[in-house]
PDB file of all heavy atoms in Angstrom:
ATOM      1  N   VAL A 378      11.021   2.229  26.722  1.00 98.00           N
ATOM      2  CA  VAL A 378      10.444   3.159  25.750  1.00 98.00           C
ATOM      3  C   VAL A 378      11.500   3.653  24.804  1.00 98.00           C
ATOM      4  O   VAL A 378      12.715   3.757  25.206  1.00 98.00           O
ATOM      5  CB  VAL A 378       9.688   4.342  26.409  1.00 98.00           C
ATOM      6  CG1 VAL A 378       8.518   3.843  27.229  1.00 98.00           C
ATOM      7  CG2 VAL A 378      10.657   5.145  27.256  1.00 98.00           C
ATOM      8  N   ILE A 379      11.122   4.085  23.672  1.00 98.00           N
ATOM      9  CA  ILE A 379      11.952   4.788  22.734  1.00 98.00           C
ATOM     10  C   ILE A 379      11.031   5.608  21.774  1.00 98.00           C
ATOM     11  O   ILE A 379      10.111   5.077  21.286  1.00 98.00           O
ATOM     12  CB  ILE A 379      12.894   3.897  21.943  1.00 98.00           C
ATOM     13  CG1 ILE A 379      13.781   4.646  20.894  1.00 98.00           C
ATOM     14  CG2 ILE A 379      12.197   2.715  21.270  1.00 98.00           C
ATOM     15  CD1 ILE A 379      14.848   3.844  20.214  1.00 98.00           C
ATOM     16  N   THR A 380      11.310   6.827  21.568  1.00 98.00           N
ATOM     17  CA  THR A 380      10.737   7.575  20.488  1.00 98.00           C
ATOM     18  C   THR A 380      11.518   7.434  19.213  1.00 98.00           C
ATOM     19  O   THR A 380      12.730   7.674  19.208  1.00 98.00           O
ATOM     20  CB  THR A 380      10.552   9.067  20.827  1.00 98.00           C
ATOM     21  OG1 THR A 380       9.808   9.241  22.019  1.00 98.00           O
ATOM     22  CG2 THR A 380       9.981   9.855  19.661  1.00 98.00           C
ATOM     23  N   GLU A 381      10.912   6.834  18.192  1.00 98.00           N
ATOM     24  CA  GLU A 381      11.667   6.567  16.920  1.00 98.00           C
ATOM     25  C   GLU A 381      10.773   6.937  15.712  1.00 98.00           C
ATOM     26  O   GLU A 381       9.611   6.475  15.591  1.00 98.00           O
ATOM     27  CB  GLU A 381      12.005   5.071  16.889  1.00 98.00           C
ATOM     28  CG  GLU A 381      12.766   4.627  15.596  1.00 98.00           C
ATOM     29  CD  GLU A 381      11.807   4.161  14.515  1.00 98.00           C
ATOM     30  OE1 GLU A 381      10.769   3.571  14.846  1.00 98.00           O
ATOM     31  OE2 GLU A 381      12.131   4.292  13.361  1.00 98.00           O
ATOM     32  N   LYS A 382      11.276   7.760  14.879  1.00 98.00           N
ATOM     33  CA  LYS A 382      10.465   8.186  13.694  1.00 98.00           C
ATOM     34  C   LYS A 382      11.404   8.655  12.597  1.00 98.00           C
ATOM     35  O   LYS A 382      12.518   9.024  12.821  1.00 98.00           O
ATOM     36  CB  LYS A 382       9.517   9.314  14.111  1.00 98.00           C
ATOM     37  CG  LYS A 382      10.133  10.641  14.613  1.00 98.00           C
ATOM     38  CD  LYS A 382       9.068  11.614  15.014  1.00 98.00           C
ATOM     39  CE  LYS A 382       9.717  12.833  15.570  1.00 98.00           C
ATOM     40  NZ  LYS A 382       8.676  13.897  15.913  1.00 98.00           N
ATOM     41  N   GLY A 383      10.886   8.605  11.383  1.00 98.00           N
ATOM     42  CA  GLY A 383      11.609   9.075  10.200  1.00 98.00           C
ATOM     43  C   GLY A 383      12.693   8.145   9.739  1.00 98.00           C
ATOM     44  O   GLY A 383      13.546   8.570   8.976  1.00 98.00           O
ATOM     45  N   SER A 384      12.759   6.971  10.284  1.00 98.00           N
ATOM     46  CA  SER A 384      13.843   6.000   9.876  1.00 98.00           C
ATOM     47  C   SER A 384      13.685   5.528   8.455  1.00 98.00           C
ATOM     48  O   SER A 384      12.492   5.187   8.091  1.00 98.00           O
ATOM     49  CB  SER A 384      13.933   4.825  10.852  1.00 98.00           C
ATOM     50  OG  SER A 384      14.198   5.220  12.178  1.00 98.00           O
ATOM     51  N   TRP A 385      14.730   5.432   7.690  1.00 98.00           N
ATOM     52  CA  TRP A 385      14.690   4.716   6.375  1.00 98.00           C
ATOM     53  C   TRP A 385      15.723   3.563   6.381  1.00 98.00           C
ATOM     54  O   TRP A 385      16.754   3.638   7.039  1.00 98.00           O
ATOM     55  CB  TRP A 385      15.138   5.717   5.266  1.00 98.00           C
ATOM     56  CG  TRP A 385      14.046   6.667   4.903  1.00 98.00           C
ATOM     57  CD1 TRP A 385      13.332   7.497   5.692  1.00 98.00           C
ATOM     58  CD2 TRP A 385      13.506   6.859   3.560  1.00 98.00           C
ATOM     59  NE1 TRP A 385      12.411   8.267   5.036  1.00 98.00           N
ATOM     60  CE2 TRP A 385      12.530   7.933   3.684  1.00 98.00           C
ATOM     61  CE3 TRP A 385      13.794   6.346   2.321  1.00 98.00           C
ATOM     62  CZ2 TRP A 385      11.791   8.390   2.606  1.00 98.00           C
ATOM     63  CZ3 TRP A 385      13.110   6.866   1.257  1.00 98.00           C
ATOM     64  CH2 TRP A 385      12.122   7.829   1.307  1.00 98.00           C
ATOM     65  N   VAL A 386      15.336   2.488   5.710  1.00 98.00           N
ATOM     66  CA  VAL A 386      16.173   1.270   5.696  1.00 98.00           C
ATOM     67  C   VAL A 386      16.405   0.881   4.216  1.00 98.00           C
ATOM     68  O   VAL A 386      15.418   0.854   3.425  1.00 98.00           O
ATOM     69  CB  VAL A 386      15.562   0.133   6.459  1.00 98.00           C
ATOM     70  CG1 VAL A 386      16.264  -1.127   6.145  1.00 98.00           C
ATOM     71  CG2 VAL A 386      15.485   0.437   7.915  1.00 98.00           C
ATOM     72  N   GLN A 387      17.602   0.631   3.879  1.00 97.00           N
ATOM     73  CA  GLN A 387      17.963   0.047   2.552  1.00 97.00           C
ATOM     74  C   GLN A 387      18.543  -1.285   2.805  1.00 97.00           C
ATOM     75  O   GLN A 387      19.655  -1.456   3.247  1.00 97.00           O
ATOM     76  CB  GLN A 387      19.013   0.934   1.830  1.00 97.00           C
ATOM     77  CG  GLN A 387      19.309   0.384   0.430  1.00 97.00           C
ATOM     78  CD  GLN A 387      20.264   1.298  -0.300  1.00 97.00           C
ATOM     79  OE1 GLN A 387      20.805   2.343   0.211  1.00 97.00           O
ATOM     80  NE2 GLN A 387      20.459   1.040  -1.614  1.00 97.00           N
ATOM     81  N   SER A 388      17.715  -2.300   2.569  1.00 93.00           N
ATOM     82  CA  SER A 388      18.104  -3.727   2.777  1.00 93.00           C
ATOM     83  C   SER A 388      19.051  -4.254   1.746  1.00 93.00           C
ATOM     84  O   SER A 388      19.073  -3.703   0.610  1.00 93.00           O
ATOM     85  CB  SER A 388      16.863  -4.622   2.931  1.00 93.00           C
ATOM     86  OG  SER A 388      16.062  -4.189   3.971  1.00 93.00           O
ATOM     87  N   SER A 389      19.805  -5.264   2.101  1.00 87.00           N
ATOM     88  CA  SER A 389      20.690  -5.855   1.127  1.00 87.00           C
ATOM     89  C   SER A 389      19.903  -6.313  -0.169  1.00 87.00           C
ATOM     90  O   SER A 389      18.840  -6.924  -0.047  1.00 87.00           O
ATOM     91  CB  SER A 389      21.409  -7.068   1.733  1.00 87.00           C
ATOM     92  OG  SER A 389      22.236  -7.728   0.801  1.00 87.00           O
ATOM     93  N   GLY A 390      20.484  -6.018  -1.327  1.00 80.00           N
ATOM     94  CA  GLY A 390      19.794  -6.483  -2.584  1.00 80.00           C
ATOM     95  C   GLY A 390      18.806  -5.498  -3.086  1.00 80.00           C
ATOM     96  O   GLY A 390      18.263  -5.676  -4.182  1.00 80.00           O
ATOM     97  N   SER A 391      18.471  -4.461  -2.224  1.00 81.00           N
ATOM     98  CA  SER A 391      17.502  -3.518  -2.681  1.00 81.00           C
ATOM     99  C   SER A 391      18.149  -2.189  -3.111  1.00 81.00           C
ATOM    100  O   SER A 391      18.930  -1.632  -2.363  1.00 81.00           O
ATOM    101  CB  SER A 391      16.440  -3.221  -1.581  1.00 81.00           C
ATOM    102  OG  SER A 391      15.587  -2.164  -1.875  1.00 81.00           O
ATOM    103  N   ARG A 392      17.786  -1.648  -4.261  1.00 80.00           N
ATOM    104  CA  ARG A 392      18.451  -0.437  -4.732  1.00 80.00           C
ATOM    105  C   ARG A 392      17.794   0.726  -4.017  1.00 80.00           C
ATOM    106  O   ARG A 392      18.345   1.868  -3.927  1.00 80.00           O
ATOM    107  CB  ARG A 392      18.257  -0.301  -6.267  1.00 80.00           C
ATOM    108  CG  ARG A 392      19.084  -1.414  -7.005  1.00 80.00           C
ATOM    109  CD  ARG A 392      18.871  -1.228  -8.489  1.00 80.00           C
ATOM    110  NE  ARG A 392      19.302   0.118  -8.932  1.00 80.00           N
ATOM    111  CZ  ARG A 392      19.084   0.589 -10.191  1.00 80.00           C
ATOM    112  NH1 ARG A 392      18.443  -0.160 -11.088  1.00 80.00           N
ATOM    113  NH2 ARG A 392      19.545   1.814 -10.568  1.00 80.00           N
ATOM    114  N   LEU A 393      16.506   0.556  -3.604  1.00 91.00           N
ATOM    115  CA  LEU A 393      15.791   1.707  -3.086  1.00 91.00           C
ATOM    116  C   LEU A 393      15.513   1.597  -1.600  1.00 91.00           C
ATOM    117  O   LEU A 393      15.082   0.512  -1.116  1.00 91.00           O
ATOM    118  CB  LEU A 393      14.398   1.770  -3.819  1.00 91.00           C
ATOM    119  CG  LEU A 393      14.485   2.096  -5.274  1.00 91.00           C
ATOM    120  CD1 LEU A 393      13.091   2.076  -5.928  1.00 91.00           C
ATOM    121  CD2 LEU A 393      15.149   3.429  -5.558  1.00 91.00           C
ATOM    122  N   PRO A 394      15.867   2.610  -0.816  1.00 95.00           N
ATOM    123  CA  PRO A 394      15.508   2.579   0.578  1.00 95.00           C
ATOM    124  C   PRO A 394      13.976   2.881   0.780  1.00 95.00           C
ATOM    125  O   PRO A 394      13.298   3.296  -0.155  1.00 95.00           O
ATOM    126  CB  PRO A 394      16.300   3.783   1.162  1.00 95.00           C
ATOM    127  CG  PRO A 394      16.371   4.684   0.023  1.00 95.00           C
ATOM    128  CD  PRO A 394      16.478   3.892  -1.220  1.00 95.00           C
ATOM    129  N   ARG A 395      13.482   2.593   1.925  1.00 97.00           N
ATOM    130  CA  ARG A 395      12.095   2.834   2.240  1.00 97.00           C
ATOM    131  C   ARG A 395      11.972   3.202   3.695  1.00 97.00           C
ATOM    132  O   ARG A 395      12.746   2.810   4.555  1.00 97.00           O
ATOM    133  CB  ARG A 395      11.257   1.583   1.973  1.00 97.00           C
ATOM    134  CG  ARG A 395      11.653   0.376   2.748  1.00 97.00           C
ATOM    135  CD  ARG A 395      10.948  -0.824   2.315  1.00 97.00           C
ATOM    136  NE  ARG A 395      11.384  -2.064   3.011  1.00 97.00           N
ATOM    137  CZ  ARG A 395      10.780  -2.525   4.086  1.00 97.00           C
ATOM    138  NH1 ARG A 395       9.657  -1.924   4.580  1.00 97.00           N
ATOM    139  NH2 ARG A 395      11.188  -3.550   4.724  1.00 97.00           N
ATOM    140  N   PRO A 396      10.933   4.062   3.962  1.00 98.00           N
ATOM    141  CA  PRO A 396      10.641   4.424   5.346  1.00 98.00           C
ATOM    142  C   PRO A 396      10.131   3.208   6.124  1.00 98.00           C
ATOM    143  O   PRO A 396       9.307   2.459   5.640  1.00 98.00           O
ATOM    144  CB  PRO A 396       9.601   5.550   5.260  1.00 98.00           C
ATOM    145  CG  PRO A 396       8.954   5.332   3.917  1.00 98.00           C
ATOM    146  CD  PRO A 396      10.035   4.734   3.034  1.00 98.00           C
ATOM    147  N   VAL A 397      10.702   3.003   7.305  1.00 98.00           N
ATOM    148  CA  VAL A 397      10.359   1.900   8.152  1.00 98.00           C
ATOM    149  C   VAL A 397      10.268   2.346   9.613  1.00 98.00           C
ATOM    150  O   VAL A 397      11.070   3.172  10.073  1.00 98.00           O
ATOM    151  CB  VAL A 397      11.421   0.758   8.023  1.00 98.00           C
ATOM    152  CG1 VAL A 397      11.189  -0.358   8.950  1.00 98.00           C
ATOM    153  CG2 VAL A 397      11.513   0.220   6.595  1.00 98.00           C
ATOM    154  N   SER A 398       9.324   1.727  10.314  1.00 98.00           N
ATOM    155  CA  SER A 398       9.256   1.932  11.792  1.00 98.00           C
ATOM    156  C   SER A 398      10.193   0.846  12.420  1.00 98.00           C
ATOM    157  O   SER A 398       9.838  -0.328  12.397  1.00 98.00           O
ATOM    158  CB  SER A 398       7.905   1.823  12.289  1.00 98.00           C
ATOM    159  OG  SER A 398       7.922   1.779  13.731  1.00 98.00           O
ATOM    160  N   LEU A 399      11.334   1.247  12.881  1.00 98.00           N
ATOM    161  CA  LEU A 399      12.192   0.274  13.615  1.00 98.00           C
ATOM    162  C   LEU A 399      11.493  -0.232  14.825  1.00 98.00           C
ATOM    163  O   LEU A 399      11.628  -1.408  15.150  1.00 98.00           O
ATOM    164  CB  LEU A 399      13.482   0.964  14.049  1.00 98.00           C
ATOM    165  CG  LEU A 399      14.393   1.643  12.968  1.00 98.00           C
ATOM    166  CD1 LEU A 399      15.699   2.001  13.628  1.00 98.00           C
ATOM    167  CD2 LEU A 399      14.577   0.757  11.770  1.00 98.00           C
ATOM    168  N   LEU A 400      10.749   0.634  15.525  1.00 98.00           N
ATOM    169  CA  LEU A 400      10.026   0.184  16.689  1.00 98.00           C
ATOM    170  C   LEU A 400       8.908  -0.805  16.374  1.00 98.00           C
ATOM    171  O   LEU A 400       8.797  -1.803  16.983  1.00 98.00           O
ATOM    172  CB  LEU A 400       9.450   1.386  17.424  1.00 98.00           C
ATOM    173  CG  LEU A 400       8.650   1.063  18.721  1.00 98.00           C
ATOM    174  CD1 LEU A 400       9.535   0.381  19.733  1.00 98.00           C
ATOM    175  CD2 LEU A 400       8.106   2.394  19.267  1.00 98.00           C
ATOM    176  N   GLY A 401       8.185  -0.490  15.283  1.00 98.00           N
ATOM    177  CA  GLY A 401       7.119  -1.458  14.878  1.00 98.00           C
ATOM    178  C   GLY A 401       7.727  -2.806  14.498  1.00 98.00           C
ATOM    179  O   GLY A 401       7.192  -3.855  14.820  1.00 98.00           O
TER     180      GLY A 401
END
Side-chain angles (χ1 to χ4, degrees):
V378 296
I379 176 174
T380 298
E381 178 269 327
K382 60 184 182 179
S384 301
W385 283 55
V386 171
Q387 183 175 8
S388 298
S389 175
S391 174
R392 295 180 59 188
L393 298 177
R395 59 191 179 91
V397 173
S398 169
L399 305 189
L400 180 60

